[in-house]
Coordinates of all heavy atoms in Angstrom, one line a residue:
M470 N -128.9 44.3 34.0 CA -129.4 43.7 32.8 C -129.6 44.8 31.8 O -130.3 45.8 32.1 CB -130.7 43.0 33.2 CG -131.4 42.4 32.0 SD -133.0 41.6 32.4 CE -132.5 40.2 33.2
T471 N -129.1 44.6 30.6 CA -129.2 45.7 29.6 C -130.5 45.6 28.8 O -130.8 46.4 28.0 CB -128.0 45.6 28.6 OG1 -128.0 44.3 28.0 CG2 -126.7 45.8 29.3
I472 N -131.3 44.5 28.9 CA -132.5 44.3 28.1 C -133.7 44.6 29.0 O -134.8 44.1 28.8 CB -132.5 42.9 27.6 CG1 -131.2 42.6 26.9 CG2 -133.7 42.7 26.6 CD1 -131.1 41.2 26.3
T473 N -133.6 45.4 30.0 CA -134.6 45.7 31.0 C -135.9 46.3 30.3 O -137.0 45.7 30.5 CB -134.2 46.7 32.0 OG1 -133.0 46.1 32.6 CG2 -135.2 46.9 33.1
V474 N -135.8 47.3 29.5 CA -137.0 47.9 29.0 C -137.7 47.0 28.0 O -138.9 46.8 28.2 CB -136.6 49.3 28.3 CG1 -137.8 49.9 27.6 CG2 -136.1 50.3 29.4
P475 N -137.1 46.4 27.0 CA -137.8 45.4 26.2 C -138.4 44.3 27.0 O -139.6 43.9 26.6 CB -136.8 44.9 25.2 CG -135.8 46.0 25.1 CD -135.7 46.5 26.5
L476 N -137.8 43.8 28.0 CA -138.3 42.7 28.8 C -139.6 43.2 29.5 O -140.6 42.5 29.6 CB -137.3 42.2 29.8 CG -137.7 40.9 30.6 CD1 -138.0 39.8 29.6 CD2 -136.5 40.5 31.5
V477 N -139.5 44.4 30.0 CA -140.7 45.0 30.7 C -141.8 45.2 29.7 O -143.0 44.9 30.1 CB -140.3 46.4 31.4 CG1 -141.5 47.1 31.8 CG2 -139.4 46.1 32.5
V478 N -141.5 45.6 28.5 CA -142.6 45.7 27.5 C -143.2 44.4 27.2 O -144.4 44.3 27.1 CB -142.0 46.4 26.2 CG1 -143.0 46.4 25.1 CG2 -141.6 47.8 26.5
L479 N -142.4 43.3 27.0 CA -142.9 42.0 26.7 C -143.8 41.5 27.8 O -144.9 40.9 27.6 CB -141.8 41.0 26.4 CG -141.0 41.2 25.1 CD1 -139.8 40.2 25.1 CD2 -142.0 41.0 24.0
V480 N -143.3 41.7 29.1 CA -144.2 41.2 30.2 C -145.4 42.1 30.3 O -146.5 41.5 30.6 CB -143.4 41.3 31.5 CG1 -144.2 41.0 32.7 CG2 -142.2 40.3 31.5
G481 N -145.3 43.3 30.0 CA -146.5 44.2 30.0 C -147.5 43.8 29.0 O -148.7 43.7 29.2
V482 N -147.0 43.4 27.8 CA -147.9 42.9 26.7 C -148.6 41.6 27.1 O -149.8 41.4 26.9 CB -147.2 42.8 25.4 CG1 -148.0 42.0 24.3 CG2 -146.8 44.2 24.8
A483 N -147.8 40.7 27.7 CA -148.3 39.4 28.2 C -149.4 39.6 29.2 O -150.5 39.0 29.2 CB -147.2 38.6 28.8
V484 N -149.2 40.6 30.1 CA -150.2 40.9 31.2 C -151.5 41.5 30.5 O -152.6 41.1 30.9 CB -149.7 41.8 32.3 CG1 -150.8 42.4 33.2 CG2 -148.6 41.1 33.1
W485 N -151.3 42.4 29.5 CA -152.4 42.9 28.9 C -153.2 41.9 28.1 O -154.5 41.9 28.2 CB -152.0 44.0 27.9 CG -153.1 44.7 27.2 CD1 -154.0 45.6 27.6 CD2 -153.6 44.3 25.9 NE1 -154.9 45.9 26.7 CE2 -154.7 45.1 25.6 CE3 -153.2 43.4 24.9 CZ2 -155.4 45.0 24.4 CZ3 -153.9 43.3 23.7 CH2 -155.0 44.1 23.5
V486 N -152.5 41.0 27.5 CA -153.2 39.9 26.8 C -154.0 39.0 27.8 O -155.1 38.6 27.5 CB -152.2 39.0 25.9 CG1 -152.8 37.7 25.4 CG2 -151.7 39.9 24.7
A487 N -153.4 38.7 28.9 CA -154.0 37.9 29.9 C -155.3 38.6 30.4 O -156.3 38.0 30.7 CB -153.1 37.6 31.1
W488 N -155.1 39.9 30.6 CA -156.3 40.7 31.1 C -157.4 40.8 30.1 O -158.6 40.6 30.4 CB -155.8 42.1 31.5 CG -156.9 43.0 31.9 CD1 -157.7 43.0 33.0 CD2 -157.4 44.1 31.1 NE1 -158.6 44.0 33.0 CE2 -158.4 44.7 31.8 CE3 -157.0 44.7 29.9 CZ2 -159.1 45.8 31.3 CZ3 -157.7 45.8 29.4 CH2 -158.7 46.4 30.2
R489 N -157.0 41.0 28.9 CA -158.0 41.2 27.8 C -158.7 39.9 27.4 O -159.9 39.8 27.1 CB -157.3 41.8 26.6 CG -158.2 42.1 25.4 CD -159.0 43.3 25.6 NE -159.6 43.7 24.4 CZ -160.9 43.7 24.2 NH1 -161.7 43.4 25.2 NH2 -161.5 44.0 23.1
Y490 N -157.9 38.8 27.2 CA -158.5 37.6 26.6 C -158.6 36.4 27.6 O -159.4 35.5 27.3 CB -157.6 37.2 25.4 CG -157.6 38.2 24.3 CD1 -156.5 39.0 24.1 CD2 -158.7 38.4 23.5 CE1 -156.4 40.0 23.2 CE2 -158.7 39.4 22.5 CZ -157.5 40.2 22.4 OH -157.5 41.1 21.4
I491 N -157.9 36.4 28.7 CA -158.0 35.2 29.5 C -158.9 35.5 30.8 O -159.3 34.6 31.4 CB -156.6 34.8 30.0 CG1 -155.8 34.4 28.8 CG2 -156.6 33.6 30.9 CD1 -154.3 34.0 29.1
G492 N -159.2 36.8 31.0 CA -160.1 37.1 32.1 C -159.4 37.4 33.4 O -160.0 37.2 34.5
L493 N -158.2 37.9 33.3 CA -157.4 38.3 34.5 C -158.2 39.5 35.1 O -158.5 40.5 34.4 CB -156.0 38.7 34.1 CG -155.0 39.0 35.2 CD1 -154.7 37.7 36.0 CD2 -153.7 39.6 34.7
R494 N -158.4 39.5 36.4 CA -159.2 40.5 37.0 C -158.2 41.7 37.4 O -157.0 41.4 37.6 CB -159.9 40.0 38.3 CG -160.8 38.9 38.0 CD -162.1 39.4 37.4 NE -163.1 38.3 37.4 CZ -163.6 37.8 36.2 NH1 -163.2 38.3 35.1 NH2 -164.4 36.9 36.2
V495 N -158.8 42.8 37.7 CA -158.0 44.0 38.1 C -157.3 43.7 39.4 O -156.1 44.1 39.6 CB -158.8 45.3 38.1 CG1 -158.1 46.4 38.7 CG2 -159.3 45.6 36.8
W496 N -158.0 43.1 40.3 CA -157.3 42.8 41.6 C -156.2 41.8 41.5 O -155.2 41.9 42.3 CB -158.4 42.4 42.7 CG -159.0 41.0 42.5 CD1 -160.1 40.7 41.8 CD2 -158.5 39.8 43.1 NE1 -160.3 39.3 41.9 CE2 -159.3 38.8 42.7 CE3 -157.4 39.5 43.9 CZ2 -159.1 37.4 43.1 CZ3 -157.2 38.2 44.3 CH2 -158.0 37.2 43.9
H497 N -156.2 40.9 40.5 CA -155.1 40.0 40.2 C -153.9 40.9 39.8 O -152.8 40.6 40.2 CB -155.4 39.0 39.1 CG -156.5 38.0 39.5 ND1 -157.5 37.7 38.6 CD2 -156.7 37.3 40.6 CE1 -158.3 36.8 39.2 NE2 -157.8 36.5 40.4
L498 N -154.1 41.8 38.9 CA -153.1 42.7 38.4 C -152.4 43.5 39.6 O -151.2 43.6 39.7 CB -153.6 43.7 37.4 CG -154.1 43.1 36.1 CD1 -154.8 44.2 35.2 CD2 -152.9 42.5 35.3
V499 N -153.3 44.0 40.4 CA -152.8 44.8 41.6 C -152.0 43.9 42.5 O -150.9 44.3 43.0 CB -153.9 45.5 42.3 CG1 -153.5 46.1 43.6 CG2 -154.6 46.5 41.4
L500 N -152.5 42.7 42.8 CA -151.8 41.8 43.6 C -150.4 41.4 43.1 O -149.4 41.4 43.8 CB -152.6 40.5 43.9 CG -152.1 39.5 44.8 CD1 -152.1 40.1 46.2 CD2 -153.0 38.3 44.8
C501 N -150.3 41.1 41.8 CA -149.1 40.8 41.1 C -148.1 42.0 41.2 O -146.9 41.8 41.4 CB -149.3 40.4 39.7 SG -150.1 38.8 39.6
L502 N -148.6 43.2 41.0 CA -147.8 44.4 41.0 C -147.2 44.6 42.4 O -146.0 44.9 42.5 CB -148.7 45.6 40.6 CG -148.0 47.0 40.6 CD1 -147.0 47.0 39.4 CD2 -149.0 48.1 40.4
V503 N -148.0 44.5 43.4 CA -147.5 44.6 44.8 C -146.5 43.5 45.1 O -145.4 43.8 45.7 CB -148.7 44.6 45.8 CG1 -148.2 44.5 47.2 CG2 -149.6 45.8 45.6
F504 N -146.8 42.3 44.7 CA -145.8 41.2 44.9 C -144.5 41.5 44.2 O -143.4 41.3 44.8 CB -146.4 39.9 44.4 CG -145.5 38.7 44.6 CD1 -145.2 38.3 45.9 CD2 -144.9 38.1 43.5 CE1 -144.4 37.2 46.0 CE2 -144.1 37.0 43.6 CZ -143.8 36.6 44.9
G505 N -144.6 42.0 43.0 CA -143.3 42.3 42.3 C -142.5 43.4 43.0 O -141.3 43.3 43.1
F506 N -143.2 44.4 43.5 CA -142.4 45.5 44.2 C -141.8 44.9 45.5 O -140.7 45.3 45.9 CB -143.3 46.7 44.5 CG -143.5 47.6 43.4 CD1 -144.7 47.8 42.8 CD2 -142.4 48.4 43.0 CE1 -144.8 48.7 41.7 CE2 -142.5 49.3 41.9 CZ -143.7 49.4 41.3
L507 N -142.6 44.1 46.2 CA -142.0 43.5 47.5 C -140.9 42.6 47.2 O -139.9 42.6 47.9 CB -143.1 42.8 48.2 CG -144.2 43.7 48.8 CD1 -145.3 42.9 49.4 CD2 -143.7 44.7 49.8
L508 N -141.0 41.8 46.1 CA -140.0 40.9 45.7 C -138.7 41.6 45.3 O -137.6 41.2 45.6 CB -140.5 40.0 44.6 CG -139.6 38.7 44.3 CD1 -139.5 37.8 45.6 CD2 -140.3 37.9 43.2
A509 N -138.9 42.7 44.6 CA -137.7 43.5 44.2 C -136.9 44.1 45.3 O -135.7 44.3 45.2 CB -138.2 44.6 43.2
S510 N -137.5 44.3 46.4 CA -136.8 44.8 47.6 C -136.3 43.8 48.6 O -135.8 44.1 49.6 CB -137.6 45.9 48.3 OG -138.8 45.3 48.8
S511 N -136.5 42.5 48.2 CA -136.1 41.4 49.1 C -134.7 40.9 48.8 O -134.1 41.4 47.8 CB -137.1 40.2 48.9 OG -136.9 39.6 47.7
A512 N -134.2 40.0 49.6 CA -132.9 39.5 49.4 C -132.8 38.5 48.2 O -131.8 38.2 47.7 CB -132.5 38.7 50.6
A513 N -134.0 38.2 47.7 CA -134.0 37.3 46.5 C -133.9 38.0 45.2 O -133.7 37.4 44.1 CB -135.3 36.5 46.4
A514 N -133.9 39.4 45.2 CA -133.9 40.2 44.0 C -132.6 39.9 43.2 O -132.7 39.8 41.9 CB -134.0 41.7 44.3
P515 N -131.4 39.9 43.8 CA -130.2 39.7 42.9 C -130.2 38.3 42.3 O -129.8 38.2 41.1 CB -129.0 39.8 43.9 CG -129.6 40.6 45.0 CD -131.0 40.3 45.1
S516 N -130.7 37.3 43.0 CA -130.7 35.9 42.4 C -131.7 35.9 41.2 O -131.5 35.3 40.2 CB -131.2 34.9 43.4 OG -130.2 34.9 44.5
I517 N -132.9 36.6 41.4 CA -133.9 36.6 40.3 C -133.3 37.4 39.1 O -133.5 37.0 37.9 CB -135.2 37.2 40.8 CG1 -135.8 36.3 41.9 CG2 -136.1 37.5 39.7 CD1 -136.9 37.0 42.6
D518 N -132.6 38.5 39.4 CA -132.0 39.2 38.3 C -130.9 38.4 37.5 O -130.9 38.4 36.3 CB -131.3 40.5 38.8 CG -130.8 41.4 37.7 OD1 -131.5 41.6 36.8 OD2 -129.7 41.9 37.9
R519 N -130.1 37.6 38.2 CA -129.1 36.8 37.6 C -129.8 35.7 36.8 O -129.4 35.3 35.7 CB -128.2 36.1 38.6 CG -127.1 37.1 39.1 CD -126.1 36.3 39.9 NE -126.6 35.7 41.1 CZ -126.7 36.2 42.3 NH1 -126.4 37.5 42.5 NH2 -127.2 35.6 43.3
L520 N -130.9 35.1 37.3 CA -131.7 34.1 36.6 C -132.2 34.6 35.3 O -132.1 34.0 34.2 CB -132.8 33.5 37.5 CG -133.7 32.5 36.8 CD1 -133.0 31.2 36.5 CD2 -134.9 32.3 37.7
L521 N -132.9 35.8 35.4 CA -133.5 36.4 34.2 C -132.4 36.8 33.2 O -132.6 36.6 32.0 CB -134.3 37.6 34.5 CG -135.6 37.3 35.3 CD1 -136.3 38.6 35.7 CD2 -136.5 36.5 34.4
T522 N -131.3 37.3 33.6 CA -130.2 37.7 32.7 C -129.6 36.4 32.0 O -129.4 36.5 30.8 CB -129.0 38.3 33.5 OG1 -129.5 39.5 34.2 CG2 -127.9 38.7 32.6
G523 N -129.5 35.3 32.8 CA -129.0 34.1 32.1 C -130.0 33.6 31.1 O -129.6 33.1 30.0
L524 N -131.3 33.7 31.4 CA -132.3 33.2 30.5 C -132.3 34.0 29.2 O -132.4 33.5 28.1 CB -133.7 33.2 31.1 CG -133.9 32.1 32.2 CD1 -135.3 32.4 32.9 CD2 -133.9 30.7 31.6
V525 N -132.2 35.4 29.4 CA -132.2 36.2 28.2 C -131.0 36.0 27.4 O -131.1 35.9 26.1 CB -132.3 37.7 28.7 CG1 -132.0 38.6 27.5 CG2 -133.7 38.0 29.2
R526 N -129.8 35.8 28.0 CA -128.6 35.5 27.3 C -128.7 34.2 26.5 O -128.3 34.0 25.4 CB -127.4 35.5 28.2 CG -127.0 36.8 28.6 CD -125.7 36.8 29.4 NE -125.4 38.2 29.8 CZ -124.7 38.4 30.9 NH1 -124.3 37.5 31.7 NH2 -124.4 39.7 31.2
M527 N -129.3 33.2 27.2 CA -129.5 31.9 26.6 C -130.4 31.9 25.3 O -130.1 31.3 24.3 CB -130.1 30.9 27.6 CG -130.2 29.5 27.1 SD -130.7 28.3 28.3 CE -132.4 28.8 28.6
V528 N -131.5 32.7 25.4 CA -132.4 32.9 24.3 C -131.8 33.7 23.2 O -132.0 33.3 22.0 CB -133.7 33.5 24.8 CG1 -134.6 33.9 23.7 CG2 -134.5 32.6 25.8
T529 N -131.0 34.7 23.5 CA -130.5 35.6 22.5 C -129.2 35.1 21.9 O -128.7 35.6 20.9 CB -130.3 37.0 23.0 OG1 -129.5 37.0 24.1 CG2 -131.7 37.6 23.4
T530 N -128.5 34.1 22.5 CA -127.3 33.6 22.0 C -127.5 32.8 20.8 O -128.3 31.9 20.8 CB -126.5 32.8 23.1 OG1 -126.4 33.6 24.2 CG2 -125.2 32.3 22.6
K531 N -126.8 33.1 19.7 CA -126.9 32.3 18.5 C -125.9 31.2 18.5 O -124.7 31.3 18.9 CB -126.6 33.2 17.3 CG -127.6 34.3 17.2 CD -127.3 35.2 16.0 CE -128.4 36.3 16.1 NZ -128.4 37.1 14.9
H532 N -126.4 30.0 18.1 CA -125.5 28.8 18.2 C -124.9 28.6 16.8 O -125.4 28.8 15.8 CB -126.4 27.6 18.6 CG -126.9 27.7 20.0 ND1 -126.2 27.3 21.0 CD2 -128.0 28.2 20.5 CE1 -126.9 27.5 22.1 NE2 -128.0 28.1 21.8

C-alpha cells in the first residue's frame, strides 16, 4: 500500500480525538495497539491489507 504513512497519520489523529474528546482510556489505547500488532502478524494481515488498499483506491478514484 503506497498510502501507508498518511493512513497511519489519519488513524492516529482519529485515536487522539477519541482519547481527547470521547473519553478513550489509556488502557483502551494499549489494548488496541496490542491487538493491532497481533493482527498484523496473523494470517488475516494480507486480507486486511487488500481490503484497506481497495477502500483507499475507491475513495481516491475520481469518477
Side-chain angles (χ1 to χ4, degrees):
M470 179 183 284
T471 59
I472 309 179
T473 303
V474 174
L476 188 57
V477 168
V478 170
L479 287 175
V480 172
V482 168
V484 169
W485 180 81
V486 167
W488 173 68
R489 180 78 170 116
Y490 297 106
I491 300 175
L493 189 68
R494 304 280 189 246
V495 173
W496 70 271
H497 293 136
L498 294 171
V499 172
L500 186 63
C501 289
L502 181 69
V503 170
F504 179 68
F506 277 113
L507 292 174
L508 193 59
S510 64
S511 73
S516 297
I517 294 169
D518 187 44
R519 283 192 299 272
L520 174 69
L521 289 175
T522 301
L524 288 173
V525 167
R526 285 185 182 152
M527 184 175 67
V528 168
T529 58
T530 303
K531 298 182 182 190
H532 295 272

